[in-house]
Amino acid sequence: MIKEQANMVSSSGLTGTALERAALSTALPEEPLIKIRTGRDDGCRPNFKDLWAHRELLYFFIWRDLKVRYKQTVLGAAWVILQPLLTTIVFTVFMSRLARVPSDGVPYPLFSYSGLLPWLLFSNAVQSSSQSLIANSYIITKVYFPRLIIPLAVVGVRLVDFFVSALMLFMMMLYYGVHPGRHLLLFPLLVVQAMLLTLGVGIWSSVMTARYRDIGSLLTVLLQLWMFASPVIYPSRLVPERWRLLYWCNPLAGLVEGIRSSLFGLEFNWTGIAISAVITLALLAYSVRAFCRMEEKVIDIL
Amino acid sequence: MRPIIQVRGLSKRYRIGKTLVAIPTLREALANALKKPLERLRGIEPEPDEMIWALRDVSFEVQPGEVIGVIGRNGAGKSTLLKILSRVIRPTVGEVDIYGRIGSLLEIGTGFHPDLSGRENIYLNGAIIGMRRVEIKKKFDEIVAFAEVERFLETPIKYYSSGMYLRLAFAVAAHLESEIIFLDEVLAVGDEAFRQKCLWKMKEVSRAGRTVFFVSHDLLTVQKLCGRVFLIESGQLLKDGPAEAVVTNYLKSFSHP
């Protein structure tokens, strides 16, 4: 009796008629749209096709963060300019006026602001991406999307900041009467390199901090040291000649100076830029793989 | 007829050993890395991590258009199954092939941001659950009408009443179009009128020939909505059959302890 009733329920209206079902099944694709495999089975390779299919979500995450920041702070977008500007003023007073640090013939405020641009892109993005998986765990544990989108969105947000604060730099250059030359043609390329380097470290730090929370605190200290190991507020020629090669092994060193040279028409240091480019690509490849390898474990403990 | 979902030998293991009771700090990881080889040298066997199988060797096939209810006690593995099927977590063993787009609603309103307005949250939440921008745009008016929040569209949702919040969240979810839909207890919220509305929408969804997975403790609703029911117990698929039979069987298991 019970069985009969149950059969009636399953064949009645709610599940759709047999005809409807037959029509649906003929429309099924030959190959599965989604294959779920264990991490071992698919070799933990990043799925770039999937990433591309979710590009709209990347846009929405960037849009969300910009919008929320704009609504939560009184000065909103102005902070993007104020942060490098105020820092520049502090360094101008202490480094240029008091410590008489040279600046390769460029007015010191311009010199340090142009160094702070890529530096702040890098350090802000690395710091926020290290917290990004944890901060978005309430979404990650409920819905599927390529997790790589989370650190990508963080870098996207900081890149928008970068362009806004770059506008301020061009206004400062007008004020100081410094004109960029044909060297400026390399500027977009170097910005791409800065973005890739930031991604390389950001992606790695996002997954590592989710696994070991103290990486976040460690990074804060490390980033402070890193700034002084890069020619952000002083020129690289202050570094003794015999240490120079080691100095260029810091991928930010060649990059920061390269960006400065492209802006002010200074001579390019190709060694530094080339070493930085190679390290950047290696770092990015490594951290994308590390992310995919650790992703599964990290989501289980989020 | 070809199944729309094929699940073969699905298992999920969680480590609940002492190393993962809390999130390991770097210090512990480093200490462990040093300690383990030392202990092995001294002949101390490393303590094996305690493992639990949240899901054990689950296999089934689902035909297009079936509405499946998943029942079982708390901690039986229902949510784990749903999370694997919706790709939030990965299985330890086994494979799944899915021949259609999935929409998974493990909760409603995922990713809602309190500082953003109702309008902005519809777009954000829609994108997160897998809708395309043009799709959201097209259904925007419908979603707003269903949620009955026209007057508060530009208000940040932190000022919404909990009822408005739920209506908005369900409205977006209800307009997700995918061949397969996974639902986890989303009906267990809201007042009677709202529940009725959701139930009605769910029926409409299942009539449209979509494949639905519905995890719930509400056996009455499960019986009303689903043709086929899975009973999951300690990670295993214990019963798979017509709703009436499985639910009755499940209830009987409580009657004489």
Side-chain angles (χ1 to χ4, degrees), chain B residues 105 129 131 135 139-147 169-178 181 201 204-205 210:
Chain B
L105 303 168
I129 63 177
M131 291 166 88
E135 215 177 317
K139 297 205 175 128
F140 189 82
D141 294 335
E142 244 179 276
I143 293 173
V144 174
F146 188 90
F170 188 83
V172 183
H175 288 82
L176 173 66
E177 264 181 17
S178 56
I181 195 150
K201 185 74 196 180
E204 197 188 83
V205 163
R210 290 158 75 186

Side-chain angles (χ1 to χ4, degrees), chain A residues 99-201:
Chain A
R100 305 260 165 225
V101 169
S103 56
D104 288 346
V106 179
Y108 189 82
L110 277 186
F111 179 88
S112 64
Y113 193 97
S114 63
L116 283 165
L117 274 189
W119 168 253
L120 288 176
L121 165 70
F122 177 80
S123 89
N124 284 341
V126 167
Q127 267 183 37
S128 14
S129 40
S130 78
Q131 300 301 323
S132 62
L133 287 181
I134 300 161
N136 287 290
S137 64
Y138 67 108
I139 302 174
I140 293 174
T141 54
K142 298 292 178 195
V143 179
Y144 169 79
F145 54 86
R147 318 297 177 188
L148 211 51
I149 282 190
I150 297 276
L152 282 178
V154 170
V155 176
V157 170
R158 296 302 178 176
L159 212 55
V160 173
D161 292 357
F162 176 88
F163 287 120
V164 174
S165 43
L167 287 181
M168 182 69 198
L169 176 73
F170 288 118
M171 288 196 313
M172 283 166 73
M173 285 168 74
L174 274 181
Y175 173 83
Y176 282 100
V178 175
H179 301 294
R182 59 193 165 79
H183 280 49
L184 195 65
L185 288 174
L186 261 180
F187 181 71
L189 270 179
L190 289 164
V191 172
V192 169
Q193 190 180 331
M195 181 187 77
L196 295 179
L197 177 61
T198 308
L199 274 175
V201 182

Side-chain angles (χ1 to χ4, degrees), chain A:
Chain A
M1 172 66 192
I2 286 169
K3 218 171 186 180
E4 233 176 61
Q5 243 180 332
N7 280 335
M8 267 176 60
V9 171
S10 67
S11 58
S12 70
L14 292 188
T15 51
T17 64
L19 205 73
E20 270 174 334
R21 285 215 229 158
L24 267 164
S25 83
T26 49
L28 288 185
E30 281 302 312
E31 281 290 304
L33 286 185
I34 299 158
K35 287 183 180 181
I36 300 175
R37 298 291 180 266
T38 63
R40 276 186 315 282
D41 287 354
D42 69 4
C44 293
R45 253 165 295 138
N47 187 343
F48 291 111
K49 219 173 105 190
D50 198 26
L51 206 58
W52 177 245
H54 282 83
R55 59 193 184 280
E56 267 188 13
L57 188 59
L58 173 64
Y59 160 80
F60 272 112
F61 276 139
I62 295 174
W63 168 86
R64 172 194 70 176
D65 286 355
L66 290 172
K67 201 109 193 181
V68 166
R69 182 168 50 177
Y70 187 72
K71 287 190 180 186
Q72 280 175 341
T73 55
V74 182
L75 289 177
W79 280 115
V80 175
I81 291 172
L82 281 174
Q83 194 195 4
L85 203 59
L86 294 175
T87 321
T88 297
I89 292 171
V90 171
F91 284 132
T92 305
V93 171
F94 284 96
M95 301 296 285
S96 174
R97 291 290 144 81
L98 296 177
R100 305 260 165 225
V101 169
S103 56
D104 288 346
V106 179
Y108 189 82
L110 277 186
F111 179 88
S112 64
Y113 193 97
S114 63
L116 283 165
L117 274 189
W119 168 253
L120 288 176
L121 165 70
F122 177 80
S123 89
N124 284 341
V126 167
Q127 267 183 37
S128 14
S129 40
S130 78
Q131 300 301 323
S132 62
L133 287 181
I134 300 161
N136 287 290
S137 64
Y138 67 108
I139 302 174
I140 293 174
T141 54
K142 298 292 178 195
V143 179
Y144 169 79
F145 54 86
R147 318 297 177 188
L148 211 51
I149 282 190
I150 297 276
L152 282 178
V154 170
V155 176
V157 170
R158 296 302 178 176
L159 212 55
V160 173
D161 292 357
F162 176 88
F163 287 120
V164 174
S165 43
L167 287 181
M168 182 69 198
L169 176 73
F170 288 118
M171 288 196 313
M172 283 166 73
M173 285 168 74
L174 274 181
Y175 173 83
Y176 282 100
V178 175
H179 301 294
R182 59 193 165 79
H183 280 49
L184 195 65
L185 288 174
L186 261 180
F187 181 71
L189 270 179
L190 289 164
V191 172
V192 169
Q193 190 180 331
M195 181 187 77
L196 295 179
L197 177 61
T198 308
L199 274 175
V201 182
I203 288 170
W204 179 85
S205 74
S206 70
V207 73
M208 280 305 278
T209 310
R211 181 87 172 82
Y212 305 109
R213 305 279 159 121
D214 10 16
I215 298 270
S217 324
L218 190 69
L219 266 177
T220 317
V221 182
L222 198 71
L223 280 172
Q224 265 171 13
L225 294 177
W226 205 331
M227 179 175 140
F228 289 103
S230 314
V232 176
I233 52 171
Y234 62 87
S236 66
R237 61 188 169 84
L238 290 193
V239 176
E241 195 75 56
R242 62 201 168 100
W243 293 109
R244 221 41 90 69
L245 199 63
L246 184 69
Y247 188 76
W248 293 128
C249 284
N250 166 10
L252 266 168
L255 184 65
V256 167
E257 209 141 85
I259 285 183
R260 190 177 280 135
S261 305
S262 75
L263 284 165
F264 307 130
L266 308 172
E267 207 176 318
F268 280 114
N269 183 313
W270 295 112
T271 324
I273 294 173
I275 294 177
S276 166
V278 170
I279 293 181
T280 295
L281 290 180
L283 209 59
L284 188 61
Y286 167 77
S287 55
V288 168
R289 276 197 68 89
F291 189 94
C292 293
R293 211 175 45 239
M294 292 185 66
E295 188 185 347
E296 188 183 344
K297 223 181 267 175
V298 162
I299 287 158
D300 284 352
I301 61 170
L302 265 182

Side-chain angles (χ1 to χ4, degrees), chain B residues 29 121 172 251:
Chain B
N121 269 304
V172 183
L251 286 174

